[in-house]
Amino acid sequence: MEFPEGLKYSKEHEWVLVEGNTATIGITEFAQAELGDLVFVELPEVGEKIVKDDPFGAVESVKAVSDIYAPVSGMVLEINDVLPDNPETINDDPYGDGWMIRVKLSDQDDLKDLMDEDEYGEYVAQQKDDDDDDEDEDDESEEEEDEEK
Amino acid sequence: MAATLKRTPLYSAHRRAGAKLVDFAGWEMPVQYQGVIDEHLAVRRRAGLFDVSHMGEIEVRGAGALEFCQGLSANDVGRLEIFQAQYNLLLNERGGVVDDVIIYRVKADAYFICVNASNSDKDFAWLSERARSDVEVENQSALYGQLALQGPAAVKILAPLTAARLDEIKSFHFAFADVATIRCMIARTGYTGEDGFELYCHADHAERLWDILLTAGAPDGLVPVGLGARDTLRLEKAFPLYGHELDDSTTPLEAGLAWVTKLAKPAFLGREILLKQKSEGVARKLVGLEMLAPGIARSDYPLKKNGRPVGRVTSGTMSPSLEKTIALAYVESAEAAIDNVIDVEIRRRTVPARIVALPFYRR
């Protein structure tokens, strides 16, 4: 799993590329893999304001819809016009051609809450561990049941 | 994932195959292996193998078995020959659907009912409570593994593994035979709209059968398929899914299942209400929707006509075969005409959709 350096990452699995006062936002490789084949993307309009921690759009797989939460607050400068007709671009290239929106940051302090690539890598590993722990718990409970029998 | 989830005999096989596992009706089940769209298209073009061992199996036997089944279901069980299967609905006294099931007549006085995983306990209780002294009802769900081999290559893949004459097993018929030395009930049934088989075997042999089929079918493109593609495949064919298109308050006439509802057969639970509905007409109907602008209508999204609520979506997806966005929905009967355009409220937007004939996909 790839987490490019130089990007900032949110707990909701968005990445942010900060260039001066502009932030480019997309979803991480981990997020696209969890979602599966994407078939629809809903993005805000240029000029719209997005608010940190509020949904600014949605991605849909064949099975389900998932909100995309704003990792920062700001005004939308540009959206990726390729995505509405080719949502699978996010699956193919989440950090490149699959970028979603560019915003003008309204508060640089928002960036303090984001993780760097190492912290995000650990965060993802932790989430996977939690899943594995659940598996272990399952196994244990099964063993207990077996003993009861 | 909660520690209480049940697992099928194929759980280890799914882990080995790299499946993404989810909670489905209390079962830890594979939603996908490689990807929903690829798996969907594999079933339409070649073949797919599904683990459907979570489905329930209930046997009803005894001198009164036929009369008992007739009294609790919509379709005419009396038409079933031995080795024949039938899509049917268990009904409650309100004409609502307790479950949609497949009834297999295995002997003159024994029926084997395959029920939805989510309804397995409910159905068993429902049937047991109503059983009379000349009927035995047994929940055999834990005994069985169930695999569905579906797709145009299904016959070619299965034929070399069994002595059963597959060409003599017609649609909605079955036979008992060995598949690679594993005793199976081989039923020409399924839930994908493709030709194929559902194989019932002893739970202890399910994993071996799974491995043998996948190995034998690999040259013909057979792949394991998860519940994600199972849902998109059934939706293209407009097969109802319990909890979405069907539930205890929905009648078969509302759900477009009049073809399963034999009002002239001997008396059954809910019949009076269905007769009344038939003569007076139903207030709402299940329809197919094709979206006219980008957006996916999901379960429970509201439907409006000129701003007035007229119904709700029950299932929706992007159709991998048709490359269109489709949905099933209940709408007021007055708005249910083909080609009528209504609005779907999709989160912050309103997206127009056209009512179309069902099924969406034809083989």
Side-chain angles (χ1 to χ4, degrees):
Chain A
M1 191 97 12
E2 192 192 356
F3 308 121
E5 58 183 284
L7 300 180
K8 300 276 189 190
Y9 298 88
S10 77
K11 286 188 172 173
E12 301 287 348
H13 305 285
E14 286 91 27
W15 58 262
V16 183
L17 171 65
V18 183
E19 293 166 303
N21 210 24
T22 303
T24 304
I25 298 168
I27 64 170
T28 67
E29 187 179 354
F30 175 78
Q32 69 77 25
E34 285 290 302
L35 293 165
D37 299 324
L38 294 177
V39 293
F40 186 71
V41 182
E42 188 178 278
L43 297 175
E45 307 265 335
V46 170
E48 218 171 289
K49 288 206 165 69
I50 67 168
V51 178
K52 184 170 180 292
D53 299 331
D54 284 356
F56 72 79
V59 285
E60 302 200 35
S61 67
V62 186
K63 280 298 288 171
V65 53
S66 306
D67 282 324
I68 306 295
Y69 293 90
V72 293
S73 296
M75 191 191 72
V76 179
L77 298 171
E78 195 181 347
I79 66 163
N80 186 348
D81 291 332
V82 170
L83 297 183
D85 289 330
N86 303 284
E88 69 282 1
T89 309
I90 296 174
N91 292 118
D92 297 340
D93 190 9
Y95 301 114
D97 292 343
W99 69 276
M100 297 175 86
I101 58 170
R102 254 180 212 120
V103 300
K104 185 177 163 192
L105 287 167
S106 57
D107 188 351
Q108 287 274 348
D109 280 354
D110 286 347
L111 301 172
K112 288 179 187 163
D113 295 336
L114 300 175
M115 294 174 267
D116 66 20
E117 66 276 9
D118 292 336
E119 288 166 329
Y120 181 66
E122 278 171 34
Y123 177 72
V124 168
Q126 182 62 45
Q127 295 215 318
K128 284 186 177 171
D129 281 351
D130 287 349
D131 284 349
D132 289 346
D133 287 349
D134 288 345
E135 305 291 352
D136 293 345
E137 280 165 27
D138 288 0
D139 292 342
E140 279 162 25
S141 59
E142 240 184 19
E143 280 162 24
E144 281 163 24
E145 278 172 25
D146 287 345
E147 280 165 24
E148 282 169 21
K149 285 174 204 161
Chain B
M1 216 166 280
T4 52
L5 290 181
K6 290 182 271 191
R7 291 170 177 174
T8 76
L10 294 168
Y11 173 79
S12 306
H14 300 319
R15 290 293 295 259
R16 280 203 308 276
K20 182 186 284 188
L21 297 157
V22 297
D23 176 358
F24 179 84
W27 291 80
E28 193 171 359
M29 295 299 291
V31 64
Q32 66 168 58
Y33 301 82
Q34 301 308 315
V36 174
I37 294 174
D38 285 350
E39 290 165 28
H40 178 111
L41 296 175
V43 175
R44 288 270 182 260
R45 294 168 184 170
R46 300 181 298 276
L49 189 63
F50 301 77
D51 175 16
V52 282
S53 304
H54 59 314
M55 307 275 288
E57 290 87 10
I58 297 170
E59 194 168 309
V60 175
R61 53 183 182 260
L66 170 60
E67 200 183 328
F68 175 70
C69 290
Q70 284 285 50
L72 295 175
S73 69
N75 207 342
D76 187 356
V77 186
R79 291 184 182 188
L80 278 177
E81 308 278 347
I82 299 172
F83 300 125
Q84 191 176 3
Q86 177 185 66
Y87 181 64
N88 203 337
L89 305 164
L90 302 181
L91 297 182
N92 60 32
E93 38 294 88
R94 302 185 305 278
V97 179
V98 175
D99 200 5
D100 64 329
V101 302
I102 294 186
I103 299 185
Y104 300 85
R105 189 176 186 193
V106 290
K107 288 180 191 161
D109 58 358
Y111 298 87
F112 178 89
I113 309 179
C114 179
V115 306
N116 278 297
S118 55
N119 288 340
S120 194
D121 293 342
K122 179 184 86 168
D123 291 355
F124 179 61
W126 177 263
L127 293 168
S128 300
E129 284 161 15
R130 283 158 188 77
R132 305 161 313 186
S133 58
D134 57 353
V135 173
E136 274 181 277
V137 179
E138 191 183 352
N139 188 351
Q140 299 178 330
S141 302
L143 284 180
Y144 285 94
Q146 186 186 348
L147 276 53
L149 173 65
Q150 301 275 297
V155 172
K156 189 179 173 214
I157 292 165
L158 188 59
L161 299 172
T162 181
R165 291 286 305 272
L166 298 181
D167 54 342
E168 288 175 3
I169 306 175
K170 289 179 288 186
S171 176
F172 275 81
H173 285 72
F174 62 97
F176 292 96
D178 287 353
V179 175
T181 75
I182 298 164
R183 194 69 180 162
C184 287
M185 184 172 108
I186 304 175
R188 202 150 198 170
T189 52
Y191 194 55
T192 61
E194 296 301 324
D195 187 17
F197 301 91
E198 291 181 300
L199 305 173
Y200 297 81
C201 67
H202 193 285
D204 290 350
H205 301 144
E207 188 170 359
R208 191 156 63 88
L209 182 61
W210 173 266
D211 290 340
I212 287 168
L213 286 168
L214 280 180
T215 304
D220 291 303
L222 179 67
V223 292
V225 181
L227 293 179
R230 185 171 166 83
D231 193 49
T232 53
L233 287 158
R234 70 91 193 168
L235 189 46
E236 287 182 344
K237 290 294 292 180
F239 292 153
L241 178 62
Y242 201 89
H244 289 255
E245 285 74 38
L246 297 174
D247 59 39
D248 297 78
S249 66
T250 310
T251 75
L253 301 182
E254 294 166 336
L257 295 172
W259 66 276
V260 189
T261 311
K262 304 296 193 297
L263 293 166
K265 78 167 195 174
F268 58 92
L269 214 53
R271 179 166 172 264
E272 297 311 311
I273 289 186
L274 296 179
L275 281 170
K276 190 161 176 282
Q277 267 194 348
K278 197 185 175 195
S279 67
E280 292 176 2
V282 290
R284 58 174 187 158
K285 283 183 184 166
L286 189 72
V287 297
L289 297 177
E290 207 173 280
M291 305 306 290
L292 298 176
I296 300 176
R298 302 284 182 182
S299 184
D300 281 335
Y301 286 4
L303 300 176
K304 294 194 171 161
K305 181 79 178 186
N306 303 323
R308 188 176 65 85
V310 293
R312 67 178 180 89
V313 176
T314 52
S315 299
T317 192
M318 196 283 296
S319 156
S321 308
L322 305 169
E323 297 186 339
K324 286 177 183 169
T325 307
I326 58 172
L328 291 172
Y330 278 105
V331 296
E332 291 176 2
S333 295
E335 298 292 343
I338 302 291
D339 286 336
N340 187 23
V341 173
I342 52 179
D343 291 323
V344 185
E345 302 275 307
I346 299 183
R347 297 185 299 282
R348 297 176 296 172
R349 301 175 303 131
T350 298
V351 179
R354 190 166 63 90
I355 296 176
V356 297
L358 294 173
F360 301 102
Y361 173 87
R362 285 174 201 275
R363 176 146 46 106

